[in-house]
């Protein structure tokens, strides 16, 4: 693992990033209300783009390494990086992960939620709940002096303690003037090196949690990541600043 140093942000830069991330959070909240059986993932993508433009923010994912959508929309066994499509219609019992990013005044915001469509099975509802809880527990560890591994351990312990599996091939990341900055934030404990958290870091924490195996593969479209056993997967993400007063979640409506 290369351990390039994180790019630290000033308090003024963190305020700009809070605004960028608020736009992302507002977009996700709007989409959550509109997710229901019959809606296509292309429609969600169009709503996200429209809202970001109203806010004078630029959707960050479209064109990123050639990604074709504004939104990553990952349904059921899709883990992350699903491509919006008019052919993908949501049905009751599905779950849909929506991951959105914008660039605003030179800085990026990035967050994700997983939303049940109609009525989902109790096991799938539990998967969503545990994934969301693991993000909260990870953020609780974002104190000056702790290490990246404390974040990783919080996710891994909670998820595996509930009988689910964390994805290892994809990880969280620093965020700022670049969508993806050092350091990597794995959702499992790595034995080789773990930077200490310092004030001014802004990190996108994003547990990806599977019902069955942790193994994933990429579809032939070159983007869509699915679980190897085709069982459901959930994903939540917040962009969070490390401050002397503790973690500050930037991707919120507040
Ligand atoms: Mg991210």
């Amino acid at each position: 693992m290369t351990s390039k140093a994180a790019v630290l942000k000033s308090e003024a830069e963190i305020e700009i990033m809070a605004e960028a991330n608020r736009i992302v959070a507002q977009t996700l909240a709007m989409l959550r209300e509109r997710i229901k059986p019959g809606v296509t993932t292309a429609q969600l993508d169009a709503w996200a783009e429209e809202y970001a433009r109203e806010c004078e923010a630029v959707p960050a994912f479209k064109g990123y390494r050639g990604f074709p959508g504004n939104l990553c929309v990952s349904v059921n066994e899709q883990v992350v990086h699903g491509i919006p499509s008019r052919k993908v219609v949501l049905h009751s019992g599905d779950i849909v992960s929506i991951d959105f990013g914008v660039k605003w005044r030179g800085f990026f915001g990035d967050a994700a939620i997983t939303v049940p469509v109609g009525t989902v099975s109790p096991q799938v509802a539990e998967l969503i709940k545990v994934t969301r809880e693991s993000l909260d527990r990870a953020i609780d560890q974002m104190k000056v002096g702790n290490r990246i591994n404390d974040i990783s351990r919080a996710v891994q312990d909670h998820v595996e303690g509930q009988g689910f599996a964390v994805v290892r091939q994809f990880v969280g990341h620093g965020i700022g003037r670049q969508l993806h900055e050092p350091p990597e934030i794995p959702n499992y404990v790595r034995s080789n090196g773990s930077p200490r958290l310092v004030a001014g870091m802004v990190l996108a924490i994003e547990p990806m949690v599977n019902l069955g195996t942790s193994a994933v593969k990429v579809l032939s479209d070159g983007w869509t990541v699915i679980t190897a056993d085709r069982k459901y997967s959930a994903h939540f993400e917040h962009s969070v600043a490390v401050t002397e007063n503790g973690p500050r979640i930037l991707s919120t409506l507040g």
Side-chain angles (χ1 to χ4, degrees):
M1 184 180 85
T2 54
S3 53
K4 280 189 266 175
V7 183
L8 301 183
K9 280 78 187 180
S10 69
E11 288 183 19
E13 289 172 330
I14 289 173
E15 292 306 325
I16 296 170
M17 292 193 71
E19 293 177 37
N21 276 285
R22 189 177 306 122
I23 293 166
V24 174
Q26 288 167 342
T27 307
L28 294 177
M30 175 271 292
L31 294 175
R32 176 197 284 278
E33 292 301 310
R34 296 182 182 186
I35 286 172
K36 59 185 180 194
V39 170
T40 69
T41 60
Q43 178 67 75
L44 297 176
D45 183 80
W47 282 326
E49 179 178 23
E50 181 183 21
Y51 187 78
R53 301 276 178 204
E54 278 175 22
C55 297
E56 300 181 354
V58 179
F61 299 166
K62 191 159 202 168
Y64 182 84
R65 297 182 182 168
F67 186 75
N70 295 287
L71 199 63
C72 290
V73 195
S74 308
V75 180
N76 298 342
E77 78 277 8
Q78 297 178 351
V79 179
V80 288
H81 305 163
I83 298 172
S85 171
R86 280 177 296 179
K87 294 177 186 162
V88 178
V89 181
L90 299 177
H91 300 282
S92 184
D94 289 343
I95 63 173
V96 56
S97 152
I98 48 176
D99 188 346
F100 190 53
V102 300
K103 189 176 190 184
W104 195 81
R105 298 197 180 170
F107 286 87
F108 286 93
D110 188 8
I113 58 175
T114 297
V115 182
V117 183
T119 307
V120 301
S121 74
Q123 187 189 37
V124 168
E126 184 70 10
L127 171 72
I128 294 174
K129 175 169 166 278
V130 167
T131 308
R132 171 67 231 200
E133 288 170 350
S134 75
L135 174 57
D136 293 338
R137 287 171 183 233
I139 293 168
D140 286 345
Q141 292 300 317
M142 292 181 64
K143 299 168 192 158
V144 171
N146 272 4
R147 292 183 182 274
I148 298 292
N149 261 344
D150 293 309
I151 298 171
S152 306
R153 187 179 299 105
V155 174
Q156 185 174 18
D157 283 356
H158 187 58
V159 167
E160 294 181 353
Q162 301 300 313
F164 300 120
V166 295
V167 171
R168 291 169 176 248
Q169 281 91 331
F170 297 88
V171 297
H173 50 93
I175 183 169
R177 289 188 184 276
Q178 305 295 326
L179 182 58
H180 296 118
E181 296 183 354
E184 293 189 343
I185 320 289
N187 296 303
Y188 62 96
V189 176
R190 280 180 179 166
S191 55
N192 54 341
S194 177
R196 281 198 193 278
L197 301 177
V198 298
M201 283 180 166
V202 181
L203 306 176
I205 312 294
E206 47 179 325
M208 290 152 257
V209 177
N210 296 351
L211 260 186
T213 179
S214 65
V216 299
K217 58 184 184 181
V218 180
L219 292 183
S220 59
D221 63 20
W223 281 105
T224 311
V225 178
I226 66 164
T227 56
D229 60 7
R230 307 275 174 143
K231 292 184 178 176
Y232 281 19
S233 182
H235 177 214
F236 283 86
E237 178 178 24
H238 268 312
S239 292
V240 185
V242 177
T243 81
E244 295 291 351
N245 302 320
R248 176 181 173 192
I249 299 174
L250 303 181
S251 45
T252 63
L253 300 173

